[in-house]
Amino acid sequence: MKNLILPLSFLLLSCSGTGNYLKLIGKLDKNEISGIEYIEQSNEWLWAIEDSGNKNKIYGLDQEGKTQHSVTIKNAKNVDWEDLTSDEEGNLYIGDFGNNDNARKDLGIYKVKNSDLKKKKASAEYKVSFYYPEQQKFPPKRSKRFYDVESFFEYGDNFYLFTKNRSAGFDGSFNVYKVPNSKGRHKAELIASLTSCDNYRKCAITAADISPDGKTVVLLSGQKIWLLRDTLEKGFNQDMMQEFDLGHYSQKEGICFKDNNTLLIADEKHKNKKPSLYELKISDLKSGL
């Protein structure tokens, strides 16, 4: 397996520019990547999933964004897989919580052990099921559709989920929920309500991650990212959201930290434009290049 996928650090040496901050790394061979995660413990591989309508597989990507390895998760159906995260041991978690119509009652997160990522077939070690106590109707009326999620991360034995607002009259508001990382069915705890911006195309939250040092949370949309510092110590609040326009729009669906300063971003195919993998330096954002 060590020879299948080159270290991702090689990938970052050959880049071309796009937008104000993004560097193009390569073209993806999967059209509907919905989540990515970098795991240092798995030979610096980049892992990816696709969303609803696709297979119950996780994919290992090489330095050009091409699939070189896949793992079929035998006991997990891909209802709508939307994001990936990992814990300190390098175990991978699949967020099966896509909920476009706000009608699902089977929301869950699957744990895949790090040692199983080298296999061709594996079973999830357990499933974390959860529900939103604020939701009373399935679906709710169109002005109250706050229960889709495409973004999460794991930290301190908890998952932090960020909703994608699909309500009529989009105003950029979204909720932050906390769910314990333990087998069973749990009530999601609403811990914050925040606002991005009021353009759905540019501002709906599609992915999230936390830096390896646990100090920075990043949120992604089609054209913007938001950095939030020290949220897990001080709590999530609007004043922490630092917004950056990437100067580049696409259907961006995946983001992850490679290190405390380096982000990787994946988008989906759109018309004749192939999906791409990008690199972004936080230091470039802060300096304005």
Side-chain angles (χ1 to χ4, degrees):
M1 288 300 298
K2 291 183 179 180
N3 295 325
L4 283 179
I5 303 178
L6 297 178
L8 197 60
S9 56
F10 290 171
L11 175 153
L12 303 178
L13 297 178
S14 177
C15 302
S16 59
T18 181
N20 291 343
Y21 300 103
L22 300 178
K23 291 183 179 179
L24 177 65
I25 293 174
K27 296 295 182 179
L28 299 164
D29 63 359
K30 297 296 180 184
N31 290 330
E32 295 185 330
I33 294 294
S34 59
I36 57 174
E37 180 70 355
Y38 174 80
I39 302 179
E40 187 175 2
Q41 295 96 321
S42 60
N43 297 327
E44 298 187 339
W45 298 346
L46 181 66
W47 293 96
I49 53 171
E50 294 185 288
D51 55 16
S52 61
N54 291 288
K55 296 179 180 180
N56 53 321
K57 292 178 178 285
I58 52 178
Y59 301 97
L61 308 183
D62 68 11
Q63 76 277 12
E64 296 179 348
K66 301 298 187 293
T67 303
Q68 298 295 337
H69 176 63
S70 66
V71 185
T72 298
I73 309 303
K74 297 183 293 184
N75 60 340
K77 181 181 179 181
N78 185 346
V79 179
D80 195 357
W81 292 5
E82 286 291 355
D83 205 3
L84 285 174
T85 190
S86 59
D87 60 24
E88 291 184 348
E89 288 74 42
N91 302 306
L92 197 63
Y93 297 88
I94 303 167
D96 185 10
F97 39 48
N99 192 15
N100 290 6
D101 296 328
N102 283 229
R104 288 186 63 181
K105 296 183 178 180
D106 59 344
L107 306 170
I109 298 164
Y110 295 99
K111 178 183 179 181
V112 182
K113 293 173 62 176
N114 180 272
S115 58
D116 286 339
L117 296 176
K118 297 180 180 180
K119 301 176 181 179
K120 292 184 178 180
K121 294 182 179 181
S123 295
E125 183 176 10
Y126 59 75
K127 180 181 181 181
V128 179
S129 298
F130 65 93
Y131 65 96
Y132 306 108
E134 294 79 18
Q135 184 173 7
Q136 303 298 318
K137 295 183 179 181
F138 299 84
K141 58 184 181 180
R142 294 188 179 277
S143 62
K144 302 292 184 181
R145 297 194 177 182
F146 302 113
Y147 304 106
D148 183 22
V149 170
E150 296 187 3
S151 319
F152 82 139
F153 63 81
E154 200 272 357
Y155 190 82
D157 295 324
N158 288 293
F159 298 106
Y160 294 84
L161 289 71
F162 304 85
T163 64
K164 185 175 185 180
N165 186 340
R166 291 188 177 275
S167 300
F170 178 82
D171 62 359
S173 61
F174 63 95
N175 293 327
V176 186
Y177 283 93
K178 184 167 71 172
V179 175
N181 181 2
S182 60
K183 181 180 179 180
R185 181 170 170 80
H186 306 280
K187 178 173 68 175
E189 178 187 356
L190 177 62
I191 59 173
S193 295
L194 305 174
T195 302
S196 55
C197 53
D198 61 5
N199 183 313
Y200 180 85
R201 183 171 177 267
K202 296 180 180 180
C203 306
I205 305 300
T206 59
D209 200 17
I210 190 168
S211 57
D213 63 10
K215 294 182 178 180
T216 305
V217 170
V218 62
L219 305 178
L220 177 71
S221 71
Q223 187 165 314
K224 299 174 183 285
I225 71 167
W226 291 264
L227 301 180
L228 295 85
R229 293 277 297 175
D230 302 323
T231 54
L232 300 186
E233 294 179 3
K234 301 176 182 178
F236 290 85
N237 65 71
Q238 191 66 38
D239 293 339
M240 289 182 172
M241 291 188 64
Q242 189 175 10
E243 179 182 303
F244 297 90
D245 194 306
L246 298 175
H248 175 273
Y249 175 80
S250 64
Q251 191 170 338
K252 298 176 181 69
E253 295 284 343
I255 194 167
C256 65
F257 279 91
K258 182 181 183 293
D259 55 47
N260 291 322
N261 188 49
T262 307
L263 293 164
L264 300 173
I265 295 174
D267 60 17
E268 290 191 359
K269 180 180 179 180
H270 179 67
K271 296 182 179 179
N272 294 326
K273 181 183 179 298
K274 293 183 178 180
S276 299
L277 185 64
Y278 309 92
E279 179 202 62
L280 172 66
K281 296 288 188 181
I282 291 177
S283 55
D284 288 343
L285 287 174
K286 292 183 175 180
S287 68
L289 291 179

